[in-house]
Amino acid sequence: MSLLDAKFLKQIARLQIRSEVVFRGKFKGERRSLNRGASVEFADYRTYELGDDLRHIDWNVYARLDRLFLKLFNAEEDLPIFILIDNSVSMNFGQPTKLECAKQVAAALSYIGLISFDRVSVYAFSDQLTPIAPSMYGKAQFPKLSQAIEGITGGGETHLTTCLQRFLAEIKGPGVGIIISDFWDIDGYETAIKGLLSRSFDLTLIHLLSDEEIHPQLSGELQLADAETGQAKEITVNEGALVSYVERLNAFCENLKRYCLNRGVTYIRMNQQTPIEQFILQDLRRSGFIH
């Protein structure tokens, strides 16, 4: 549990991941759905129709009105939460590294899900998809899940689309999908996002960049190498080059944000130096992703 301290866990213990989509789960959780069925809390009546379960007829109403009405209930259901952590080589950049930051975010969101009795699954992806923790349920599973997340190491190139296609092939139903990544993928992100949306995922992207990427402190004649492919290029870094770089970085971020917003995907950008307490308790709450 070294990823997060006990004080912070107490601060987030009453939070809940918000979802606009209702998913049917295995267990009864603390989340109210609009699914109407037999459960614990009365919601409303509707007229009886042929084939309805006779056990749900309110016979007291029938005795008064001589008409059959069915009692409806709010179902309590758990929310399937899938957290996907980019552990490609590029995530090892920064101090602390983007991967270390991503693991903290994943652990915090896992804790929020578990304490709300939602089902939490964690995967890592780079050039292959790696299951980190199977579907876990309940607060007692957090030490085991946190330890598994802490053990994630970086390596490999980013192949987001391939990994998410494998992910979709492994799981049975939709849920809340949370992708934590720098999204430095030469093949782009569009196909991967479309694939998840086609399976009715409620999707959130946490776009994680290091301060060194946002505000590079470079100058002079340099040879820069791609951390994942090893491809090198000699460049002259001057004021004009830095201005051009910042413009292209901002354009990349804005295009990703716009792509998400146009498709109902939540987009949240994070600087790797942002304290985990600020990101969860302020940034994510302000975005409406948790409440």
Side-chain angles (χ1 to χ4, degrees):
M1 296 177 57
S2 60
L3 284 173
L4 306 170
D5 61 42
K7 180 181 178 181
F8 177 60
L9 293 179
K10 287 184 179 179
Q11 290 178 297
I12 64 176
R14 294 188 177 183
L15 297 178
Q16 191 176 67
I17 293 174
R18 185 189 300 273
S19 176
E20 300 299 328
V21 183
V22 175
F23 304 101
R24 183 179 298 278
K26 290 182 180 178
F27 309 102
K28 286 187 176 179
E30 293 187 340
R31 188 178 306 274
R32 301 289 183 195
S33 82
L34 296 179
N35 183 47
R36 300 304 175 94
S39 186
V40 295
E41 184 176 307
F42 171 76
D44 202 353
Y45 288 101
R46 72 166 170 81
T47 304
Y48 171 82
E49 297 177 2
L50 186 63
D52 285 336
D53 193 333
L54 296 176
R55 293 173 299 176
H56 301 155
I57 292 176
D58 191 321
W59 296 108
N60 291 326
V61 172
Y62 175 74
R64 295 197 310 269
L65 304 178
D66 196 27
R67 293 180 61 188
L68 294 176
F69 285 91
L70 215 64
K71 291 185 289 186
L72 302 179
F73 300 85
N74 278 323
E76 294 181 344
E77 298 180 347
D78 62 307
L79 184 70
I81 298 173
F82 302 93
I83 301 175
L84 298 108
I85 305 170
D86 182 351
N87 70 324
S88 62
V89 172
S90 67
M91 292 292 285
N92 283 331
F93 194 65
Q95 191 55 245
T97 68
K98 290 182 285 184
L99 181 56
E100 290 172 320
C101 180
K103 290 194 287 187
Q104 278 195 310
V105 173
L109 295 178
S110 296
Y111 184 78
I112 293 171
L114 291 175
I115 207 166
S116 300
F117 296 98
D118 294 323
R119 286 181 292 121
V120 178
S121 301
V122 179
Y123 294 79
F125 68 90
S126 55
D127 51 2
Q128 60 183 354
L129 181 72
T130 305
I132 301 301
S135 181
M136 291 190 171
Y137 181 81
K139 180 181 176 182
Q141 295 291 328
F142 180 69
K144 181 180 179 181
L145 188 148
S146 180
Q147 186 177 19
I149 293 174
E150 190 170 9
I152 298 173
T153 57
E157 299 180 24
T158 307
H159 292 293
L160 181 61
T161 298
T162 301
C163 288
L164 292 190
Q165 286 174 344
R166 292 174 184 169
F167 165 74
L168 289 174
E170 287 188 8
I171 64 170
K172 294 182 179 180
V176 170
I178 304 166
I179 304 176
I180 309 172
S181 174
D182 55 18
F183 293 96
W184 297 134
D185 188 337
I186 194 170
D187 295 322
Y189 48 78
E190 295 88 351
T191 302
I193 293 175
K194 287 179 182 177
L196 290 171
L197 294 179
S198 70
R199 290 277 294 272
S200 301
F201 267 78
D202 190 352
L203 191 58
T204 293
L205 270 55
I206 297 177
H207 189 191
L208 183 54
L209 297 175
S210 71
D211 196 61
E212 293 90 338
E213 290 169 324
I214 300 171
H215 306 290
Q217 302 297 315
L218 300 173
S219 63
E221 304 291 331
L222 300 173
Q223 184 183 69
L224 301 182
D226 188 303
E228 296 187 4
T229 66
Q231 183 178 356
K233 185 174 183 179
E234 294 184 354
I235 66 168
T236 299
V237 181
N238 52 33
E239 184 177 350
L242 290 176
V243 169
S244 178
Y245 166 81
V246 171
E247 289 176 349
R248 295 185 66 178
L249 175 64
N250 289 337
F252 174 79
C253 295
E254 283 301 312
N255 287 338
L256 176 56
K257 179 180 179 180
R258 190 179 306 112
Y259 185 87
C260 290
L261 296 181
N262 288 341
R263 290 158 179 80
V265 176
T266 301
Y267 172 90
I268 306 164
R269 181 170 158 180
M270 180 183 184
N271 185 317
Q272 128 274 4
Q273 291 192 347
T274 302
I276 185 65
E277 296 84 0
Q278 176 184 325
F279 183 69
I280 298 294
L281 296 172
Q282 297 181 31
D283 298 346
L284 285 190
R285 293 183 77 176
R286 190 181 305 117
S287 74
F289 176 61
I290 59 174
H291 62 104

